[in-house]
Amino acid sequence: MQQSLLAAHWKQFIAYHTSQAFYDEVAELFAEGILRYRPDLYALAARLQNIKDAPEDGAGGSGDTAASENVRKYYELANITSLRAVRGRGAGVNLRDADVKLECQVGINSPSSRGGTSVRGPHVDRRGELFAGLLYLKHPRDNSRGGDLRVFRCKGECKQLRTPAQKVRAGIAPRAGHEQFDPKSLAPVAAVKYAANTFVMFINNPLSVHAVTARGSSRISRRLINFTGEFNPTSAARLREGLCCSRCAAGRASRCLLPAKTHRIPDNNRFPL
């Protein structure tokens, strides 16, 4: 959409939610969650700040207690609000020196005359995405049900189904990207209703499985604003993301703590899924 067609308040809204100030707010609000589930962001900050040594394992206790203390000390060293965040696209945007790019996207899902359809089954977002937020703008005359965000936990390992053959065997649609998990391997844990002025935000990682529930028939589009922050793929300092939460990806959530010396970046550029 051309900027000249936007009302002033929408320009201000989008400008703020793609600004350094907004990124800093998110980073501060979710600091502990990011450290637990996306330690690669802290590793990037440590690398850019020339932090050479993370605290050693075993400092301050034993087992998970020691790991928790290790996390806190590493957090004190690496400042993720020092990372440079910019708008992801548009006139005058320079991504060359950015570490994180932000998007604020006004979107719709087309209305359905039949009902009973979902725009997205159980999935996780692309790995470069650090966080995502959804602001629902349900129309006052939209009486349909569904279109909610549903959150799942994996009963065992969070293992994605990547090929059409795997999906067919699991009895789900083989369409690329629509569903990534066998529903029998998941348990629903929470839901956020599609309702006006409802906002939800989450840290993206291999465990953040979510879906949109089927929506009833309606002549009115499902309306929302999508907020994302992701690693800038054009940045020379972009972190290779093999560190991201391998323990969580294996379903061991209680062990999902930042290990020592995570600034030593592996070269495989892959999640161990």
Side-chain angles (χ1 to χ4, degrees):
M1 179 181 291
Q2 297 180 9
Q3 289 289 315
S4 60
L5 299 179
L6 287 176
H9 61 275
W10 277 114
K11 292 180 181 179
Q12 294 170 1
F13 182 92
I14 294 171
Y16 176 72
H17 290 96
T18 53
S19 70
Q20 182 74 45
F22 178 66
Y23 165 78
D24 289 348
E25 276 198 280
V26 173
E28 292 175 5
L29 179 63
F30 290 103
E32 290 190 15
I34 293 172
L35 188 56
R36 179 176 289 268
Y37 295 110
R38 288 306 299 257
D40 47 343
L41 189 63
Y42 277 85
L44 173 59
R47 179 182 176 186
L48 296 178
Q49 294 162 35
N50 294 316
I51 296 174
K52 301 301 183 184
D53 292 305
E56 296 290 343
D57 280 331
S62 61
D64 284 350
T65 301
S68 298
E69 182 65 19
N70 196 33
V71 166
R72 296 183 190 283
K73 289 184 177 180
Y74 195 81
Y75 168 60
E76 292 173 358
L77 293 174
N79 178 16
I80 57 175
T81 60
S82 68
L83 297 178
R84 297 156 295 181
V86 300
R87 187 170 79 249
R89 67 187 72 191
V93 172
N94 180 8
L95 292 175
R96 185 177 301 276
D97 297 322
D99 305 309
V100 177
K101 65 175 186 176
L102 305 174
E103 299 279 3
C104 178
Q105 304 161 330
V106 180
I108 64 169
N109 300 138
S110 302
S112 172
S113 57
R114 293 181 303 164
T117 60
S118 169
V119 296
R120 199 77 191 271
H123 68 283
V124 292
D125 293 346
R126 59 189 180 276
R127 68 179 184 181
E129 181 182 278
L130 300 167
F131 63 82
L134 295 165
L135 175 61
Y136 291 143
L137 305 172
K138 189 173 185 179
H139 195 282
R141 293 197 298 273
D142 184 355
N143 296 318
S144 65
R145 295 184 178 182
D148 308 329
L149 178 72
R150 180 163 290 175
V151 181
F152 300 89
R153 67 170 177 84
C154 298
K155 295 177 181 178
E157 181 180 355
C158 279
K159 187 175 182 180
Q160 296 184 41
L161 304 179
R162 299 187 181 277
T163 69
Q166 289 176 325
K167 295 180 179 182
V168 169
R169 285 196 295 270
I172 63 176
R175 190 162 77 250
H178 181 68
E179 292 180 280
Q180 299 173 349
F181 294 88
D182 183 345
K184 295 188 292 293
S185 72
L186 303 174
V189 294
V192 180
K193 290 190 69 64
Y194 172 56
N197 296 321
T198 299
F199 179 72
V200 59
M201 195 169 216
F202 60 90
I203 304 303
N204 181 51
N205 69 83
L207 288 182
S208 56
V209 183
H210 57 287
V212 179
T213 64
R215 183 169 173 243
S217 61
S218 176
R219 296 181 178 179
I220 300 174
S221 298
R222 182 173 179 265
R223 310 186 309 170
L224 54 94
I225 300 177
N226 185 40
F227 308 86
T228 63
E230 58 186 77
F231 282 116
N232 176 22
T234 66
S235 171
R238 181 175 184 260
L239 179 69
R240 291 184 288 272
E241 297 143 23
L243 292 174
C244 183
C245 208
S246 60
R247 292 170 180 173
C248 285
R252 298 189 294 272
S254 64
R255 299 286 296 165
C256 195
L257 295 166
L258 184 68
K261 299 188 183 303
T262 54
H263 59 280
R264 295 180 180 174
I265 310 302
D267 293 324
N268 58 12
N269 195 31
R270 297 175 59 193
F271 282 142
L273 293 179

